Amino acid sequence: MRRIPLLCVLAMLGATALAAPASAAPVALLSDPVYDYTTAIRETVYVETTLDNDGNGTPDKVVADVIRPREAATAGVKVPVVMDASPYYQCCGRGNESEKKVYAADGTVTKFPLYYDNFFVPRGYAFVAADLAGTSRSTGCEDVGGTEEVQGAKAVVDWLNGRAVGRTASGTIVNATTWSTGKVGMIGKSWDGTIANAVAATGVQGLETIVPIAAISSWYDYNRVNGMVNPKVSSVPSLHTTVNGRPSGTCSAVSSALSSGAVSNGNYNAFWAARNYVPSAASVHASVFVVHGQNDLNVQGVHFGQWWDALAANNVPRKIWLSQEGHVDPFDFRRATWVDTLHRWFDFWLKGIDNGIMSEPMADVERAADVWQTSTQWPPSGTTTANYVLQGTGNPGVLAPSGAGSGSLSLTDAPSLSEANAVSSPTTARTGRKVYQTPVLTSDLRIAGTPTITLRVRSSKATTTLTAKLVTYGTATRVNYRASGEGISTLTSQSCWGSSSSTDDACYKDTAKVVSSAAYQVLSRGWMDGQHRDSLTSTTAMNTSTYYTITWKLRPIDQVIPASQRLGVVLTLTDPEFVSAHSTGATATIDLAGSVLKLPIAPATGLSAQTLTPQPLTPLVIDPSWNPSTGTRFQ
């Protein structure tokens, strides 16, 4: 497909011309690649846990595959550890190219997935790739976010600090404190990042920082949506089956317990509570560098939003990147800047190098393909809540930033209504949806945080799904996160990030941003099951003659609606693409005088041209279609 330069995209976006860059900042202190990667020590350690959930009478063991600089070991120099604990090292692979561990005849890893080992080992780090319990060569049984998984990964941190026993395959004790400083940084995308969140929530000493990328903070909010089942993701039992590395029948009891705990209804219960890490944010001692795609339809924005808010409430040192892509690693959407930033982050938190990274802006937010804006804090200073009211029943109705709501809306369930048909052509009357729009904006509007909506509603049935979508209307070229690569495509060219050996190279295929011209973009979504309006743990039927005031959150965002476009909110009932088929055939009557959309509005002064920085330029691929299919996967 034809590629276009970034400045052409900005012209199509109607973006402000970019200012010349400021004078170069002083060169930051960085660790140098002084160690030989090809001669690095590679070893496999079986770390004992305190658990035995496979019931074989011996402690379950988590495999930690280690690579560390030989010269440092010879000189008696201790090194910090970068660690990626994952269930995917053998079943599915890691990264955009789905790399797996490769082993020599003696069982030692000769190839580690991803570039962490290639880049950081020469710079004086060890890298540990840990197989979660019940996966690959680890024993125990994978319990998908539960105690076995979390405590098993935590045991590796404990071993690196001398608090747990590690052995070779032959049983010889391996003492990590002879070479490890005890300072550990956990990193990973998706499930790997989730386990980083979970281990940090235990408060384990020695875990100095985590970098959760597109990570879950609550397994309920991954599999369920305010009382309904999320059909876009794999169930807990099926995830267990996918990653299980144990012989047939070994984990039958655990598999059965997962099926019974993750009941098919939408209720929140003890099973989900044990897999909710947000309430334990007060126990987090590690700093946290959050990375998330605002358009991630797999691990949706609720995960970074509630985790970030809980960390902020407990004054956890933190940093955040928010991109326009879907479920994509920053190595594949902002590679050079990402590797540099991650390098400085780990140098600061694991090596104590005062490189100034914590004095830099807290947040980097992608506005358009490769155009980034920074904020000194997130949500930005001066962000306030603005009430937008719903007025009238025309096509469309008015979304007004002042005044009062007016009128009454009757909305009939249309279970076959797709999202595309629900939000497109806002002036067209369509059964099952109602659009409310602002007038054409005369200045940019920045929404940064978590929108909420309140509807005063009466249902003709005992329950109904309530759906709200925040939409920007106005033709523009945007990152196409609905395409198969969720905003990127993979090229044939390669770039290298670190040192290589004959068995493990540091080179990865380059990527390009995929952009499309579209008349609208859905910015945020939110859903509520009417019978779960008061509680997620139990249901209460809706009385068909009673109005209920129901409030729910939409997904958190940091998006700018440019001047000359319109902001809209689209109301529907059933939304089968995002929540389980829950159509009751209801008709909902909405009292607009008692309904309001609350938006976190950040100051427009933060949108000066100086803050909009294209770096570095990434090849752009024009996709003429806005593909409604998702093609997402958990990895």
Side-chain angles (χ1 to χ4, degrees):
M1 295 182 178
R2 183 171 65 93
R3 297 177 191 165
I4 59 175
L6 176 62
L7 292 180
C8 291
V9 175
L10 292 179
M12 287 184 281
L13 285 167
T16 305
L18 301 180
S23 58
V27 176
L29 296 173
L30 292 171
S31 57
D32 292 321
V34 297
Y35 295 110
D36 185 356
Y37 178 78
T38 63
T39 62
I41 296 170
R42 297 168 181 256
E43 58 191 331
T44 296
V45 179
Y46 294 78
V47 179
E48 295 181 0
T49 75
T50 60
L51 305 173
D52 178 25
N53 82 336
D54 59 11
N56 66 357
T58 61
D60 298 332
K61 299 177 181 65
V62 170
V63 167
D65 286 312
V66 181
I67 180 170
R68 53 192 177 91
R70 186 175 298 276
E71 301 95 326
T74 301
V77 175
K78 295 185 178 183
V79 297
V81 176
V82 174
M83 173 177 164
D84 186 344
S86 176
Y88 288 132
Y89 282 127
Q90 283 303 297
C91 73
C92 313
R94 304 308 301 125
N96 189 42
E97 298 172 40
S98 299
E99 291 186 317
K100 298 179 181 179
K101 289 181 182 178
V102 178
Y103 302 95
D106 64 358
T108 303
V109 172
T110 58
K111 178 179 175 60
F112 287 86
L114 306 176
Y115 64 96
Y116 302 137
D117 58 315
N118 309 89
F119 188 86
F120 285 104
V121 171
R123 288 168 169 79
Y125 292 82
F127 176 66
V128 173
D131 298 316
L132 295 185
T135 72
S136 191
R137 296 185 293 173
S138 293
T139 63
C141 295
E142 173 55 64
D143 61 353
V144 190
T147 301
E148 178 80 12
E149 176 180 298
V150 177
Q151 292 300 315
K154 174 182 175 293
V156 179
V157 179
D158 285 331
W159 169 67
L160 291 166
N161 283 273
R163 298 188 298 266
V165 175
R167 301 178 186 272
T168 64
S170 62
T172 303
I173 290 180
V174 181
N175 184 0
T177 59
T178 61
W179 58 264
S180 166
T181 64
K183 293 181 180 294
V184 182
M186 292 185 69
I187 188 171
K189 177 195 168 192
S190 207
W191 200 332
D192 303 16
T194 302
I195 196 64
N197 283 341
V199 175
T202 69
V204 61
Q205 295 297 319
L207 183 60
E208 301 297 323
T209 190
I210 63 171
V211 185
I213 301 165
I216 292 169
S217 57
S218 164
W219 282 87
Y220 176 88
D221 292 312
Y222 178 69
N223 285 267
R224 304 290 186 264
V225 183
N226 283 340
M228 295 166 287
V229 177
N230 182 353
K232 296 182 71 66
V233 303
S234 299
S235 69
V236 166
S238 66
L239 286 172
H240 165 85
T241 299
T242 297
V243 303
N244 179 38
R246 303 306 309 282
S248 178
T250 302
C251 295
S252 296
V254 171
S255 179
S256 177
L258 293 177
S259 295
S260 60
V263 290
S264 59
N265 63 33
N267 288 353
Y268 185 85
N269 56 22
F271 177 88
W272 298 118
R275 291 161 172 80
N276 184 358
Y277 314 123
V278 178
S280 298
S283 298
V284 174
H285 302 303
S287 63
V288 183
F289 187 174
V290 173
V291 182
H292 217 103
Q294 296 187 76
N295 295 307
D296 191 336
L297 301 182
N298 185 351
V299 182
Q300 296 184 26
V302 61
H303 295 281
F304 85 78
Q306 62 191 6
W307 185 232
W308 182 265
D309 289 345
L311 296 172
N314 289 283
N315 297 312
V316 174
R318 62 202 182 278
K319 186 175 180 65
I320 190 168
W321 276 18
L322 298 174
S323 77
Q324 291 293 335
E325 287 69 45
H327 199 60
V328 181
D329 193 293
F331 187 71
D332 297 314
F333 65 68
R334 200 188 187 193
R335 185 167 296 182
T337 305
W338 169 245
V339 174
D340 174 71
T341 305
L342 186 63
H343 183 190
R344 292 184 295 114
W345 182 264
F346 279 151
D347 272 3
F348 180 85
W349 288 104
L350 300 182
K351 284 180 171 283
I353 297 176
D354 187 7
N355 52 31
I357 194 167
M358 293 307 292
S359 300
E360 296 173 6
M362 176 183 286
D364 280 33
V365 182
E366 189 176 22
R367 292 282 165 239
D370 295 316
V371 180
W372 292 80
Q373 177 189 9
T374 61
S375 296
T376 55
Q377 67 182 61
W378 199 87
S381 176
T383 299
T384 58
T385 300
N387 291 345
Y388 281 72
V389 297
L390 314 179
Q391 297 177 337
T393 57
N395 293 311
V398 177
L399 183 62
S402 61
S406 61
S408 179
L409 170 66
S410 181
L411 199 59
T412 300
D413 196 10
S416 62
L417 184 68
S418 67
E419 176 171 273
N421 285 331
V423 303
S424 63
S425 304
T427 60
T428 301
R430 287 180 180 159
T431 300
R433 71 96 180 256
K434 180 61 185 176
V435 180
Y436 288 88
Q437 280 187 329
T438 64
V440 173
L441 298 177
T442 57
S443 60
D444 292 346
L445 180 67
R446 181 179 181 183
I447 303 170
T450 302
T452 64
I453 190 165
T454 298
L455 296 183
R456 186 169 185 265
V457 60
R458 183 182 67 197
S459 172
S460 66
K461 302 289 184 179
T463 191
T464 185
T465 301
L466 299 170
T467 299
K469 299 176 189 284
L470 202 61
V471 185
T472 177
Y473 289 100
T475 299
T477 299
R478 305 179 175 97
V479 173
N480 186 354
Y481 68 91
R482 300 305 296 266
S484 60
E486 301 187 55
I488 65 163
S489 66
T490 304
L491 307 178
T492 57
S493 61
Q494 290 189 332
S495 56
C496 302
W497 302 87
S499 303
S500 298
S501 71
S502 60
T503 60
D504 194 335
D505 70 76
C507 303
Y508 292 85
K509 291 180 179 179
D510 297 319
T511 61
K513 294 290 177 72
V514 178
V515 297
S516 294
S517 179
Y520 64 86
Q521 180 180 353
V522 179
L523 302 177
S524 182
R525 304 163 176 85
W527 308 268
M528 174 60 72
D529 176 24
Q531 65 186 346
H532 281 93
R533 64 194 179 277
D534 297 323
S535 171
L536 292 180
T537 60
S538 61
T539 60
T540 304
M542 302 176 75
N543 188 313
T544 58
S545 62
T546 302
Y547 276 94
Y548 298 92
T549 300
I550 304 175
T551 300
W552 69 97
K553 296 178 180 179
L554 280 66
R555 288 358 191 181
I557 54 172
D558 189 335
Q559 299 276 18
V560 172
I561 298 90
S564 79
Q565 295 191 11
R566 298 174 187 263
L567 174 65
V569 64
V570 178
L571 304 178
T572 65
L573 300 184
T574 299
D575 190 8
E577 183 180 350
F578 292 94
V579 293
S580 57
H582 199 64
S583 174
T584 61
T587 294
T589 304
I590 300 171
D591 175 12
L592 300 180
S595 302
V596 63
L597 174 69
K598 292 181 178 289
L599 298 178
I601 303 299
T605 54
L607 300 180
S608 64
Q610 288 83 354
T611 67
L612 296 175
T613 307
Q615 67 169 57
L617 293 177
T618 297
L620 298 178
V621 173
I622 293 292
D623 181 353
S625 65
W626 192 263
N627 188 347
S629 65
T630 59
T632 58
R633 57 177 181 168
F634 185 81
Q635 295 170 249

